[in-house]
Amino acid sequence: MHRHALDSRETIIETCRLSKSHVQLGVALPGNVYDEHGTMLLSKGQVLDSDAQLTALLERGMYVEIGVFNAQFRQASAAPEPRTVEHKFDPFLVRETMKPGLNRLLRGVIDASATPEQVLEFATHVRDFAEADPEAAIAACLLDRHEELRAVAHSLNSAILCTLLAKRLEWPDARQNSVICAALTMNLGMLDVQPRLSRQATPLTPVQHEQINAHPEAAMAALRQIAVADPAWLAAVHQHHEKPEGKGYPQQVPQPSEESQLIRLTDTFLARAASRADRPPLPPSQIIKHLFVEDGQGPFAALVASMVKLLGLYPPGCFVKLANGEIAVVFRNEASQKTPIVAAVTTTSGIPTMQPVRRDTEREQFAISGTVTPDKVSLGYDLGKLWVTNAKPGAKTNGNGEASQT
């Protein structure tokens, strides 16, 4: 049994899947038929007249409303289907509820009313969220178009990517917590400046240059003010703009910590993927290639390789152009990085679709022909719904205890 939202008012209906024994060629359908996403395939009364058509529809998935199924196909002696409550995990909604909580927490660090334990507790929520559905978490970061709390969202996104990368690198739990806490708090000294800079199309002023150079030290001072004693956390915050051989800033540290470099890579990736007043966003695939060229052969090559493997050529949430002219959003990278599962969000003529349509990029007409930046895409659908799934047992995704999806 499935539950589908079938229109813009989110009307939910329950459906049952049909098998070949339920459908007869030449006989009118007893009710509307939908696919697994709630899109109507055939209307009541239509007649199928070919085995090939029936086979193709059955492979896609044919569903009718449960009332129609019970009336037409379920035998009177059959036991009633048990009804279960489905708990849905909405990663986009969860992440949105985390942003105001993180904003309050960071403000609390700045005014010394927060504690290191509270930051660590929030880091635990980030880990639970990211690990519940890693691809959905990445997509939620890349598809966030809300301008409010932009600086906070950037730190949250960096913490999410650091979570997934640190786990892939098999770092111990304590080390993972240190780098996540550092990613959350790295821009304490830029919390109010960062949004203004993103809207500024003119060159930086001398004062702004000074603020940028000073913000790692300011963030570390704020953390020490609330008695953060974790050396890995403090060093990662202090050095997250440093580069090997003293090529970073502000201290030109020749051998920055590995945690700081993991944050620098995620920070760079997310900054380049976001739009600014002085430049458009870059496609994620292009950013990943740049990072590989810039850092792929240095002392932290393993971090870059881990990022490449995590994000792939086309990370979930990025937009691509298909051979038939449609624009699609990457949904999953289950089979191959070069041929991910995508969902078309526009028609071949560029008109936004009201319901994304899954496309198999291994097929020639749906092959990926290029990438598209999000500022060039008009949407007619809440893409977050694509990643709504059944919550995993034991997942804690309430984001500072304010909203739970499990």
Side-chain angles (χ1 to χ4, degrees):
M1 182 176 68
H2 274 55
R3 303 175 74 232
H4 297 301
L6 296 183
D7 59 28
S8 59
R9 298 181 299 280
E10 296 296 302
T11 301
I12 305 296
I13 68 168
E14 294 179 345
T15 60
C16 285
R17 186 165 186 165
L18 300 179
S19 66
K20 192 169 185 178
S21 64
H22 295 133
V23 185
Q24 298 181 40
L25 297 179
V27 177
L29 293 169
N32 296 334
V33 175
Y34 306 92
D35 68 9
E36 63 177 338
H37 309 296
T39 302
M40 185 185 294
L41 300 176
L42 301 166
S43 59
K44 178 180 178 180
Q46 282 191 249
V47 176
L48 297 178
D49 54 13
S50 79
D51 280 318
Q53 183 184 21
L54 176 57
T55 299
L57 288 168
L58 288 170
E59 288 178 353
R60 181 172 178 178
M62 298 175 67
Y63 296 81
V64 295
E65 294 184 38
I66 192 168
V68 174
F69 187 90
N70 288 338
Q72 298 292 325
F73 305 115
R74 194 183 296 279
Q75 297 179 358
S77 59
E81 183 175 298
R83 301 174 69 86
T84 58
V85 178
E86 291 183 340
H87 298 281
K88 294 296 185 179
F89 172 55
D90 184 340
F92 284 59
L93 176 60
V94 174
R95 183 182 161 284
E96 280 302 301
T97 65
M98 295 176 79
K99 286 198 296 187
L102 178 58
N103 183 52
R104 286 193 296 273
L105 178 61
L106 296 181
R107 300 289 176 183
V109 174
I110 292 171
D111 66 21
S113 63
T115 66
E117 292 74 24
Q118 288 175 315
V119 181
L120 181 57
E121 181 183 5
F122 196 96
T124 301
H125 291 313
V126 173
R127 286 184 67 173
D128 290 332
F129 164 73
E131 292 171 6
D133 187 338
E135 290 182 307
I138 294 169
C141 294
L142 291 180
L143 289 170
D144 183 9
R145 295 188 173 189
H146 300 129
E147 289 297 316
E148 65 273 15
L149 300 179
R150 182 164 179 165
V152 172
H154 179 80
S155 293
L156 177 58
N157 293 344
S158 184
I160 290 168
L161 292 188
C162 281
T163 297
L164 299 175
L165 289 167
K167 183 176 182 180
R168 176 177 285 272
L169 291 163
E170 298 182 343
W171 286 2
D173 279 352
R175 193 180 185 192
Q176 290 187 42
N177 288 335
S178 294
V179 76
I180 298 167
C181 287
L184 291 170
T185 56
M186 63 177 173
N187 285 332
L188 286 168
M190 290 278 289
L191 212 54
D192 294 319
V193 176
Q194 198 173 356
R196 292 199 296 270
L197 294 180
S198 68
R199 298 189 295 267
Q200 179 176 315
T202 57
L204 296 176
T205 67
V207 171
Q208 289 171 330
H209 273 294
E210 185 177 336
Q211 289 174 319
I212 291 172
N213 284 332
H215 87 270
E217 183 70 37
M220 191 169 67
L223 293 173
R224 284 178 170 164
Q225 181 179 239
I226 64 167
V228 171
D230 179 355
W233 178 354
L234 292 171
V237 168
H238 196 216
Q239 299 172 4
H240 73 277
H241 284 298
E242 303 290 352
K243 293 182 179 181
E245 301 179 0
K247 295 180 180 179
Y249 73 89
Q251 303 295 329
Q252 289 80 50
V253 176
Q255 295 180 322
S257 73
E258 195 171 20
E259 291 86 352
S260 75
Q261 297 309 285
L262 191 66
I263 294 175
R264 178 176 66 82
L265 290 171
T266 63
D267 184 27
T268 301
F269 172 81
L270 292 164
R272 293 177 180 177
S275 61
R276 293 173 54 100
D278 60 343
R279 58 154 178 78
L282 293 177
S285 58
Q286 184 177 336
I287 302 170
I288 292 169
K289 290 176 183 176
H290 286 173
L291 289 176
F292 190 80
V293 170
E294 295 165 7
D295 293 275
Q297 307 301 318
F300 299 105
L303 304 184
V304 180
S306 182
M307 175 173 275
V308 171
K309 290 177 182 177
L310 173 69
L311 298 175
L313 291 173
Y314 307 108
C318 78
F319 294 99
V320 292
K321 190 74 172 286
L322 304 183
N324 68 346
E326 295 174 337
I327 294 175
V329 64
V330 175
F331 177 57
R332 300 283 183 189
N333 273 314
E334 294 175 347
S336 166
Q337 290 189 358
K338 294 183 179 180
T339 56
I341 300 172
V342 304
V345 296
T346 75
T347 64
T348 56
S349 56
I351 300 173
T353 60
M354 296 306 295
Q355 177 76 36
V357 181
R358 300 286 177 87
R359 297 302 192 199
D360 180 0
T361 55
E362 290 186 348
R363 298 175 62 183
E364 184 177 355
Q365 66 266 44
F366 302 131
I368 294 175
S369 62
T371 56
V372 183
T373 54
D375 58 315
K376 304 296 184 183
V377 182
S378 297
L379 298 174
Y381 178 81
D382 179 5
L383 290 183
K385 296 175 185 176
L386 284 171
W387 283 271
V388 175
T389 60
N390 289 331
K392 298 187 178 181
K396 301 173 184 177
T397 55
N398 59 332
N400 210 28
E402 295 181 341
S404 176
Q405 295 298 308
T406 58

